[in-house]
Amino acid sequence: MVTPNPEFPAETEIPDEISGLRMTRQRQEVYRILMHERNHPTANDVFMRVKDRLPHISLATVYNCLEALVQHGIIRQVNFDRESSRYCSNLSEHGHFHDSATGVIHDISFKPGINLADVLDLPSGAIVDGVEVTL
Amino acid sequence: MVTPNPEFPAETEIPDEISGLRMTRQRQEVYRILMHERNHPTANDVFMRVKDRLPHISLATVYNCLEALVQHGIIRQVNFDRESSRYCSNLSEHGHFHDSATGVIHDISFKPGINLADVLDLPSGAIVDGVEVTL
DNA sequence: AACAATAATTAGAATAATTCTTGATATTGG
DNA sequence: CCAATATCAAGAATTATTCTAATTATTGTT
């Protein structure tokens, strides 16, 4: 089931460059899908869908695009257990709630004013780089 | 590098049954390794090490044993990104801190009195089943 | 103790996700 | 326009893990 995001219709212009990454046609279309479908698709989901617009694209290219976008902080990669990676264009600091009954992933956020260092016993000198809370 | 846990020398007796799971020789040795080495080994690490005592054991058996132990709540399975699963005999509620410089995994715990529901905005009606905090 | 039923183990094949390799295309700077 | 560089495509390769089928061990029952 597709939940189109009205803020990003299929025709949304995507710039030639984002955060220093040259946005090729393939990267644009992959990124557009992630903005459009906020349901944390897998690389394969993206591949299936992007073929509507780029019939010649290969799965390897989808992986390449996703990796480039992740590397440049344009999207996030989310992993649950050993399931296939999912990708997400919601960059705000948030965690993921994996509904084990339906398999659906919901975004969750920290309540305002919560600081990680306040709730966790971290090794001294630790610099937190990224957090993944999985429920 | 091996960090032996003095509380569980190689000779520690392990009961015939734990939490309803029949502890076969293979499961005992796998479990003993996890108690002995608190460094979150992978299935393959366990395999290499358990061969000292059970030279005929197969990797599939190690996976079977680990799965049975996880299923019965005797050990925990920990995943980081898409790296291979790691296993851990520390059952107290804790998270994991993945040192990206060294690859080492440290246990971290919640500060006393912290309740997850107090810091996260969960979907209403959600029942938290398990948590994994990855840093 | 012997016997059938069940569970566990083994070795190797199979699978799934991802990465790698190589050659072809496209893009950019000079 | 040309050379240098980056990207893309297709398929092979890799890795962790699971599955399959055959063997062995254990348990409960006579």
Side-chain angles (χ1 to χ4, degrees), chain A residues 80-97:
Chain A
F80 282 100
D81 300 337
R82 306 227 82 247
E83 291 175 22
S84 31
S85 289
R86 294 167 174 279
Y87 299 87
C88 165
S89 61
N90 175 1
L91 287 178
S92 65
E93 192 178 279
H94 70 286
H96 293 99
F97 175 84

Side-chain angles (χ1 to χ4, degrees), chain B residues 96-112:
Chain B
H96 292 100
F97 175 85
H98 185 220
D99 186 329
S100 48
T102 64
V104 172
I105 292 171
H106 305 273
D107 287 353
I108 53 174
S109 25
F110 288 100
K111 289 192 173 170

Side-chain angles (χ1 to χ4, degrees), chain A residues 34-113:
Chain A
L34 287 175
M35 287 194 297
H36 192 245
E37 296 183 29
R38 293 303 191 88
N39 49 3
H40 304 84
T42 63
N44 201 59
D45 293 339
V46 173
F47 176 53
M48 310 276 253
R49 191 148 291 280
V50 79
K51 278 194 289 193
D52 294 347
R53 302 187 130 235
L54 301 174
H56 296 296
I57 199 171
S58 77
L59 179 56
T61 298
V62 171
Y63 272 106
N64 286 343
C65 291
L66 291 169
E67 193 195 345
L69 293 166
V70 168
Q71 227 82 97
H72 286 74
I74 302 167
I75 64 173
R76 286 181 52 190
Q77 180 171 9
V78 183
N79 299 294
F80 282 100
D81 300 337
R82 306 227 82 247
E83 291 175 22
S84 31
S85 289
R86 294 167 174 279
Y87 299 87
C88 165
S89 61
N90 175 1
L91 287 178
S92 65
E93 192 178 279
H94 70 286
H96 293 99
F97 175 84
H98 185 220
D99 186 329
S100 48
T102 64
V104 173
I105 292 172
H106 304 274
D107 287 352
I108 54 175
S109 26
F110 288 100
K111 290 192 174 168

Side-chain angles (χ1 to χ4, degrees), chain B residues 22 43 59-60 63 84-85:
Chain B
R22 182 151 68 88
L59 179 56
Y63 272 105
S84 31
S85 289

